[in-house]
Amino acid sequence: MTPTGSVQHELSPEIISAAAESKSWPFEEARKLVDRFKGKGFPNTVLFETGYGPSGLPHIGTFGEVARTTMVRHAFHVLTQNSVATKLLCFSDDVDGMRKVPDNVPNRQMLEAHLGKPLTQVPDPFGEYKSFGHHNNAMLRRFLDRFGFDYEFASAMDYYSRGDFDEGLITMLERYDDVMAVMLPTLREERRKSYAPILPIHPDTGIVMQVPLKAVHPSRGTVEWVDPDTNKLFETKVTSGGCKAQWKPDWALRWAVLGIDYEMSGKDHIDNVKTSGKICRILGGRPPEGFNYELFLDENGEKISKSKGNGITIDEWLTYAPTESLSLYMFQKPKTAKRLFFDVIPKAVDEYISFASSYPKQDWKARLGNPVWHIHSGNPPEIELPVSFAMLLNLVSASNAHDSKVLWGFISRYDPDATPETHPFLDRLVNHAIRYFEDFVAPEKEFRAADDVESKALSAISKALKQLPKEANGAEIQNSLLDVARGIERYQDHNRQSPDGGPGVSIAFFQMIYEILLGQKKGPRFGSFVALYGFEETRALIDRALAGEFVQ
């Protein structure tokens, strides 16, 4: 029998040996799990968990947690040679009360009337699902399914209402003072007066009540509390959905009752992990293994937030780049804070292409350190592209193409063997490049006129291109351009030496070319661009620039 969630590729002795020594972070994390069960034996199923607070629309950080956990899960299967079953539980705290109306949803005024209610009892402002919680849960599941993640979705509302947490909640009542002793020192003095680890749900209004408890009755499984608006005393059962745990005790409750073995979280939760771990032990459980990843930041260096809707949404990234590039961004340096905004996309795409291209040439030690092995769970596709994503963006810019057929005309001329059918991944990139250029590059383009020195340099480039043989490749074209620059004092770099012993070429030369011809500060090797775009097309571009057509 193959364990659930197991790897779907052959574990050769070379892979097993390389995995045992790999310093890649998913293997380092997986070793924590292996060590967790040393001397005790593995359980029937090792349980991984990710948590989701559906107070707003899912953002990329939510996906990142699932993607990274999946990478650790796969590494665990390799280390244990497929001998242990695992499950990934994606848990949504949809009983959480809606504290504020998100900024990025319609019908905000309608939602105001439902503040404080569980998210699964708040109407869907989009009018598509049973509740706002159901809508946001569906958004999360849709995206996870789109990536093919192997997971089980869990709704807190289902778990509470059908009694899955009843035993743990009774234990929390029995050890109430111990739980409070952990929580109170972590709270501000004013918050201590109203804090309770268990929140009753108002039987009349349906609001999740943030009130102190007057009494707890473990034998009856109830709590007493007073409605601050009416001064009416209520006694509410904690079982079958009558109450929910406050979020840190709730986290601990899941860990203890479900037996969670691994869960990672953001750096901002370091202290919360410690607090929930103590409560988990009080409830008779063992806290899971895991690590704290750094936060994603928006263009202004602020933490991305579901309720604010800053940074990039899941669908936005996939409009401008393939899914693999997003997975790579999640894999790289998880303990380093990274900006998560539109300008990181092109680099992520080209880095994915580079890693995928190098994979077949590597030995197993290098392969297990290559991000594509982890992104594709040990089965990376063969990708060898004739052009980079950055090059495609420049091609769109120079050709003013709004149709993928135009770009494929250039690509097929450059590489006759490349077609949308033979290179489907490249075909996806072509369409992404057009969208990205139109939305982000074109609005920022700023052409400038050439001065006398630059005009002469561009004319010399045009003349050099005319003299080159049609079959000249990118490297030969680049060398021809460098020869032009070496004869112009402005572009001579006397701190570097050319192959013939003369001065090197300043980067200002190619920056000048991009600023005048394409209206941008930089780009990929211009010789490679010319080989793709065409000699005559590039010379025509130079003529138009020198005629002042691009300067407003």
Side-chain angles (χ1 to χ4, degrees):
M1 176 180 175
T2 303
T4 303
S6 62
V7 296
Q8 302 299 311
H9 56 85
E10 180 184 356
L11 292 179
S12 66
E14 291 82 6
I15 295 177
I16 295 169
S17 176
E21 299 177 357
S22 178
K23 301 300 182 184
S24 187
W25 70 262
F27 280 112
E28 297 284 6
E29 289 301 301
R31 287 189 191 98
K32 292 181 185 177
L33 269 173
V34 174
D35 292 342
R36 178 182 178 90
F37 301 108
K38 275 187 177 177
K40 302 176 182 179
F42 291 106
N44 290 334
T45 301
V46 171
L47 190 56
F48 294 75
E49 183 186 46
T50 62
Y52 169 57
S55 57
L57 305 181
H59 59 58
I60 285 181
T62 309
F63 160 74
E65 193 164 305
V66 179
R68 288 167 170 167
T69 302
T70 296
M71 293 171 192
V72 176
R73 184 185 180 196
H74 175 253
F76 175 79
H77 277 290
V78 174
L79 290 180
T80 56
Q81 300 181 40
N82 268 350
S83 62
V84 183
T86 66
K87 180 192 294 185
L88 171 56
L89 196 65
C90 294
F91 202 97
S92 171
D93 186 14
D94 53 17
V95 189
D96 193 27
M98 185 175 70
R99 296 174 180 82
K100 64 178 182 178
V101 177
D103 297 330
N104 57 343
V105 297
N107 300 313
R108 298 182 75 250
Q109 188 172 1
M110 177 268 288
L111 294 181
E112 294 280 354
H114 298 277
L115 286 172
K117 291 183 180 180
L119 291 158
T120 44
Q121 303 302 318
V122 175
D124 178 17
F126 298 91
E128 299 173 356
Y129 292 89
K130 180 180 178 182
S131 73
F132 190 31
H134 285 87
H135 174 273
N136 292 341
N137 288 343
M139 292 284 287
L140 176 69
R141 292 198 305 272
R142 184 186 73 182
F143 185 66
L144 298 181
D145 291 343
R146 186 173 183 176
F147 271 80
F149 286 120
D150 175 33
Y151 72 99
E152 179 180 306
F153 180 79
S155 160
M157 178 62 77
D158 293 342
Y159 275 61
Y160 274 104
S161 60
R162 69 181 179 227
D164 292 358
F165 291 145
D166 285 359
E167 185 176 342
L169 289 165
I170 297 298
T171 301
M172 194 175 292
L173 293 185
E174 293 171 345
R175 302 171 188 177
Y176 186 81
D177 291 340
D178 294 334
V179 174
M180 289 291 282
V182 170
M183 285 303 308
L184 292 181
T186 69
L187 305 172
R188 298 188 304 272
E189 184 175 352
E190 188 63 28
R191 181 73 176 101
R192 294 177 189 177
K193 298 175 183 178
S194 62
Y195 182 82
I198 293 179
L199 307 177
I201 296 177
H202 201 297
D204 299 328
T205 66
I207 290 175
V208 181
M209 301 301 295
Q210 299 274 352
V211 293
L213 300 181
K214 302 291 288 185
V216 298
H217 303 290
S219 60
R220 299 203 295 264
T222 62
V223 295
E224 292 184 24
W225 56 282
V226 173
D227 184 333
D229 294 329
T230 64
N231 288 324
K232 181 178 179 181
L233 178 69
F234 288 89
E235 182 172 356
T236 301
K237 283 191 173 185
V238 301
T239 54
S240 302
C243 295
K244 81 171 295 285
Q246 188 81 255
W247 84 268
K248 294 174 193 175
D250 182 77
W251 209 4
L253 182 70
R254 296 206 304 263
W255 291 350
V257 172
L258 304 179
I260 304 298
D261 295 305
Y262 187 90
E263 180 164 4
M264 60 178 67
S265 57
K267 184 181 178 181
D268 54 341
H269 287 309
I270 289 176
D271 291 337
N272 301 328
V273 168
K274 295 176 182 177
T275 298
S276 295
K278 293 176 182 178
I279 298 173
C280 177
R281 291 187 181 92
I282 290 171
L283 298 179
R286 181 184 180 186
E289 309 300 322
F291 82 109
N292 297 103
Y293 52 82
E294 261 289 2
L295 305 179
F296 291 114
L297 309 175
D298 67 9
E299 60 178 332
N300 299 315
E302 297 180 358
K303 175 188 173 185
I304 61 172
S305 163
K306 292 189 297 292
S307 58
K308 287 182 181 179
N310 56 337
I312 309 176
T313 68
I314 289 166
D315 289 331
E316 283 171 338
W317 183 293
L318 297 186
T319 297
Y320 304 112
T323 55
E324 295 86 347
S325 63
L326 177 55
S327 295
L328 171 65
Y329 199 72
M330 296 304 163
F331 175 88
Q332 293 175 311
K333 299 179 180 179
K335 293 197 174 185
T336 299
K338 294 188 291 187
R339 292 175 68 251
L340 190 57
F341 204 66
F342 296 100
D343 57 1
V344 307
I345 291 177
K347 184 172 183 284
V349 175
D350 278 336
E351 285 183 341
Y352 171 78
I353 295 170
S354 177
F355 283 122
S357 299
S358 64
Y359 180 84
K361 311 177 189 75
Q362 296 174 323
D363 60 21
W364 278 111
K365 181 179 179 180
R367 285 182 174 184
L368 267 58
N370 189 322
V372 299
W373 189 86
H374 298 275
I375 291 169
H376 295 284
S377 297
N379 287 303
E382 292 185 15
I383 294 179
E384 191 69 48
L385 300 184
V387 295
S388 67
F389 190 64
M391 190 71 76
L392 287 175
L393 289 174
N394 277 355
L395 186 59
V396 178
S397 179
S399 63
N400 200 29
H402 301 284
D403 187 334
S404 63
K405 293 180 181 178
V406 175
L407 293 190
W408 270 108
F410 289 105
I411 296 169
S412 297
R413 185 181 63 185
Y414 175 71
D415 184 350
D417 294 330
T419 67
E421 292 72 32
T422 60
H423 289 68
F425 185 78
L426 179 57
D427 193 42
R428 290 163 58 196
L429 291 188
V430 165
N431 289 285
H432 287 310
I434 292 172
R435 291 292 301 275
Y436 189 89
F437 174 81
E438 290 175 343
D439 291 351
F440 297 107
V441 180
E444 300 298 321
K445 287 171 75 70
E446 187 175 344
F447 292 93
R448 67 175 179 82
D451 62 24
D452 289 343
V453 173
E454 293 165 340
S455 294
K456 291 177 181 177
L458 289 170
S459 296
I461 290 173
S462 180
K463 182 178 179 181
L465 294 179
K466 184 177 182 180
Q467 294 173 347
L468 282 172
K470 292 183 179 180
E471 63 274 12
N473 60 32
E476 292 167 335
I477 298 169
Q478 187 81 357
N479 286 334
S480 178
L481 299 177
L482 291 171
D483 287 339
V484 170
R486 292 186 186 107
I488 304 173
E489 184 177 353
R490 178 186 291 185
Y491 302 120
Q492 294 174 354
D493 184 350
H494 294 280
N495 294 319
R496 297 165 56 197
Q497 198 174 63
S498 66
D500 62 3
V505 175
S506 166
I507 60 173
F509 176 68
F510 290 103
Q511 184 175 337
M512 174 273 293
I513 294 174
Y514 275 103
E515 288 176 348
I516 296 173
L517 299 188
L518 295 179
Q520 55 199 58
K521 295 292 184 183
K522 59 183 179 179
R525 287 173 64 89
F526 198 73
S528 300
F529 167 75
V530 174
L532 175 62
Y533 187 47
F535 290 178
E536 292 307 313
E537 288 81 358
T538 304
R539 295 185 67 222
L541 198 65
I542 291 173
D543 290 342
R544 294 177 63 196
L546 294 180
E549 291 186 27
F550 301 146
V551 181
Q552 300 296 323

